[in-house]
Amino acid sequence: MRFRNVSQSLLLTSGLLVITLSFQVQIHAFSVKYEKKPFIASTTASILTPSFTCHPSCVLGNNDNDCLLVQRSQRINMKLHNSRRSDDGDDDDDIDLSNRDWRAFRAQLVRDSSQDEEGNEISTSSFPSSSSSSEGLIEDDLDGIGSLFESNRAQNTPMKTDNFTPLEPSQWAYDSGHVIEQGAVILGGVEQKFGFGLRQQYFHKAVILVLSHDESSFTRGIILNRPSDLILVDDDDGQKWRVWFGGDVQGLDAVLPEIICLHSIPSDNKKVEDVSVTVMNDIKWTTFEDAKKLVREGIAKTSDFWVFAGYAGWGPNQLMGELERKSWYMCATDSQTLLKELAKQSALTDPRDAGLDTWELLMNLIGRGDTVEESSGDFEDLMLKEWAREKLLSVEAGGNAGVRMQPADIVSTGVSPTLRAQRIESFVKKAKSPLLKEKVEVGSLVRAGSADRSPFLLKSQEFHKSIVLIIGEDENVSVGVIINQPSTKAVEMELVDKNTGVKRQLQIPIRFGGQYMIKDKSQMLWMHNNQNLKEAKIGTPVGNKLGIWKCSQDDAIAAIEKGIGRPGDFLIASGMSVWFKGLVPGGEVANGMQGEVENENFEIVQMKNYSTLWEKLQSQKEPLTKLNLMKVISKSDEAWEVAGSEKVIELETDDVVTEGIGEGFDEGNETYVHNSGVKVAKLSDDALRSWIATFLLGAPTLGA
């Protein structure tokens, strides 16, 4: 689609500020490009009315005056003209540019564009839709107006007054389509096929302020609605700084965290101005070191700053691609709305609430209230709350984010408070735990721990209620295969009865062993625990000869043909799982599967349970499908329970699960997700189901 550019100067005098507007008009997408050009104005000011030409594809007629976009632009121009001539300033519709955020002026245009001269709403149906969504995009649409009138925008979110919701006279917010710019707000989406429930939960329903944006290189933002209860204490002067989680890049878990301090201190002080970068009107940022200097010099207080550890980042075109997949929504709002939310979080918010109310507020303001209602309390919300408990709540408050008071020198020393807390917790746990009677070795069977709050709730969900056979150990890694999780694949076999010649088809399901493969080696491991096969030397033992044996596919087929064994005697696994030893990302020291057992993430299965366990595993006779998902999971659970029969897991079928918070709810009950009627144990099961549905079946909608 071709564009006709029509540019004229519209000189508006307000004090000594003159602003040049250039308009680019296209009937399917309307873009307004602004340029701020301050200079000393002459005593005489002129208003030059722009001339508008309707796009050739406009179906409203050849007369430019018939085009709604022309009419809209003329109304805007008349309001500007009237505001120049008005002496008393009583006209509420006038646009006052003096001492005003330029983005607020844009917002006024957006609001006015949805009304005609009598104040009636204009429906987007008045704007013809384009036959191709890609034709409606204007590459140099820098300010957000263009995207509001794209054809695909009209289909998804009609342009109406609901999309522009004034709070107070100085406050505003609207949906800005796919426009990314400094000062814009990115809201976590909930409509994408694969959400943030299983990975990167902190992005679910996040409110992210864009600090800088360059589509060709990098976009940087900080998450505003993830307050923690951690406090940085300055060793020099004892000043205390509350910390927010700002993002996953160089956060508190990093060796060298990056601390960004937002503030709204007026820039009339030169020292403040020199160390600050303006993001939008009334919101600036500075480094932690400069913030501390301003406090020490008496120019500011610690309460003047919001301290964010880490940031979120996107490479070239990455964020735009994610917007198109509905991973995010773009929002434009004023600084006061954001500052009030930050102030509220400072005073009132429980970190486990994860700032969901801030996301809900902005979503409602941009006309997406239905989305808020539909997604409230869903699986992703619960997973986010559990992440917040783990990463934002201090040890003293029952979380796992670290001890509450942290030395402020972590930025320079590179020792994260989370790591400090983990080391302390690990030391305490080892001091309380008795010495292990058994050592993990090749051939050991281990099962995932039985704690209500699964250690695999937030990551590596495939290990929840798993049974693992250890097949390799050295100084660097422990290697094992998961043996109770069938995949969608199977080995097809045809059996022929020697007496009758009757042929019979059967399947042996291939189990998901893990996410790792060994290059240039067979990826399928055949296993058995049959005494006849052991006596016939079919294969070799995996460790202890009384335990599980492994063999090749040829050995298994030969044994079946000779009648020594049956197809059901064998289990097949593809892929393997790895647990590293030594220093791992995050600065921790790992000890392979032995360390996992010591940390109670896994438990060693007693050999006396092997036979009963193997019988349960053999009952899994079919590969995973969309239809048998729940049946497969149920049989996997049964095998896991049998493997740990020394610690019987009683199903709490008598518990009454309430929806939300009601009478008799125990807020201190750690077996429930914060502020919900959902047990953590159930959420852990739901997370496993979602993992299987997403990664093994490729059907995320079948998850929780």
Side-chain angles (χ1 to χ4, degrees), residues 385-451:
K385 287 184 176 182
E386 279 298 298
W387 174 87
R389 177 192 176 278
E390 179 75 11
K391 299 295 184 179
L392 303 181
L393 194 67
S394 64
V395 173
E396 293 92 325
N400 196 35
V403 292
R404 188 159 189 254
M405 297 295 180
Q406 300 288 341
D409 64 355
I410 61 168
V411 180
S412 56
T413 62
V415 180
S416 76
T418 303
L419 178 55
R420 290 176 191 266
Q422 288 171 343
R423 288 174 177 171
I424 294 172
E425 183 184 8
S426 176
F427 176 80
V428 172
K429 182 179 290 187
K430 288 180 180 179
K432 290 182 178 180
S433 301
L435 293 175
L436 291 173
K437 297 180 180 179
E438 294 182 86
K439 182 180 179 181
V440 176
E441 54 191 4
V442 173
S444 294
L445 279 176
V446 296
R447 73 166 205 152
S450 55

Side-chain angles (χ1 to χ4, degrees), residues 261-276:
C261 299
L262 285 189
H263 68 86
S264 59
I265 304 171
S267 296
D268 49 7
N269 186 301
K270 190 174 186 307
K271 289 186 177 180
V272 174
E273 184 177 3
D274 288 345
V275 299
S276 301

Side-chain angles (χ1 to χ4, degrees), residues 329-354:
Y329 311 114
M330 294 304 301
C331 166
T333 188
D334 68 293
S335 58
Q336 292 306 308
T337 299
L338 299 180
L339 291 172
K340 286 183 178 180
E341 286 302 300
L342 286 171
K344 182 177 70 175
Q345 292 176 26
S346 299
L348 304 173
T349 302
D350 186 319
R352 293 171 295 177
D353 291 326

Side-chain angles (χ1 to χ4, degrees), residues 534-575:
K534 291 177 182 180
E535 291 175 357
K537 305 296 183 183
I538 304 299
T540 57
V542 183
N544 191 324
K545 65 180 181 180
L546 299 178
I548 311 302
W549 283 45
K550 64 180 179 179
C551 65
S552 67
Q553 179 173 311
D554 292 340
D555 289 339
I557 293 175
I560 294 172
E561 289 178 345
K562 294 176 181 178
I564 301 174
R566 299 169 302 166
D569 292 330
F570 296 92
L571 300 185
I572 308 171
S574 178

Side-chain angles (χ1 to χ4, degrees), residues 149-178:
F149 290 88
E150 290 170 9
S151 59
N152 58 351
R153 166 106 174 93
Q155 295 170 6
N156 295 330
T157 309
M159 182 62 197
K160 55 186 181 180
T161 52
D162 286 348
N163 297 342
F164 182 98
T165 309
L167 304 173
E168 297 178 3
S170 62
Q171 292 182 264
W172 48 265
Y174 64 88
D175 187 327
S176 58
H178 284 185

